[in-house]
Amino acid sequence: MHSSRKTRKALEQLGGRIVLHFLPPYCPDANRIERVWLDLHANVTRNHRCRTLQKLMRRVHAYLHARNAQRRASPILRKVPLRRAA
């Protein structure tokens, strides 16, 4: 928790423009990467029918590439055309 004198003084000087919110040490709902892993599992790895680990990993990489190509975070993946370097 941010309760040191130095932190409180800095927050006071900002005049309430910044508000700190308590989060538990482990909170998967507030952790973006945990939501990505959950979405990856739901859409790629759960009940997959890949016969090889190599094929599964290609699907994981394709999912992560599409997710990283998005302009904003979204639980629904849009089909994004792959761009090639010029």
Side-chain angles (χ1 to χ4, degrees), residues 22-50:
F22 170 77
L23 291 176
Y26 178 73
C27 182
D29 294 334
N31 187 334
R32 289 177 144 178
I33 194 64
E34 293 293 339
R35 291 192 308 251
V36 171
W37 297 143
L38 181 65
D39 197 44
L40 172 72
H41 181 58
N43 291 297
V44 180
T45 62
R46 182 181 293 140
N47 298 323
H48 70 86
R49 297 188 185 271
C50 298

Side-chain angles (χ1 to χ4, degrees), residues 2-16:
H2 301 287
S3 59
S4 71
R5 274 186 265 142
K6 190 174 182 178
T7 301
R8 285 190 307 238
K9 185 177 178 181
L11 290 171
E12 287 171 11
Q13 290 175 347
L14 292 170

Side-chain angles (χ1 to χ4, degrees), residues 22-84:
F22 170 77
L23 291 176
Y26 178 73
C27 182
D29 294 334
N31 187 334
R32 289 177 144 178
I33 194 64
E34 293 293 339
R35 291 192 308 251
V36 171
W37 297 143
L38 181 65
D39 197 44
L40 172 72
H41 181 58
N43 291 297
V44 180
T45 62
R46 182 181 293 140
N47 298 323
H48 70 86
R49 297 188 185 271
C50 298
R51 292 193 180 263
T52 66
L53 184 58
Q54 209 171 26
K55 186 173 181 180
L56 178 61
M57 290 309 297
R58 279 196 300 269
R59 288 186 180 186
V60 168
H61 284 252
Y63 167 88
L64 293 174
H65 179 77
R67 180 127 183 145
N68 288 335
Q70 291 178 336
R71 299 262 181 213
R72 57 190 162 89
S74 171
I76 299 170
L77 282 176
R78 297 182 308 258
K79 290 203 176 213
V80 179
L82 296 178
R83 294 182 184 175
R84 296 199 172 185

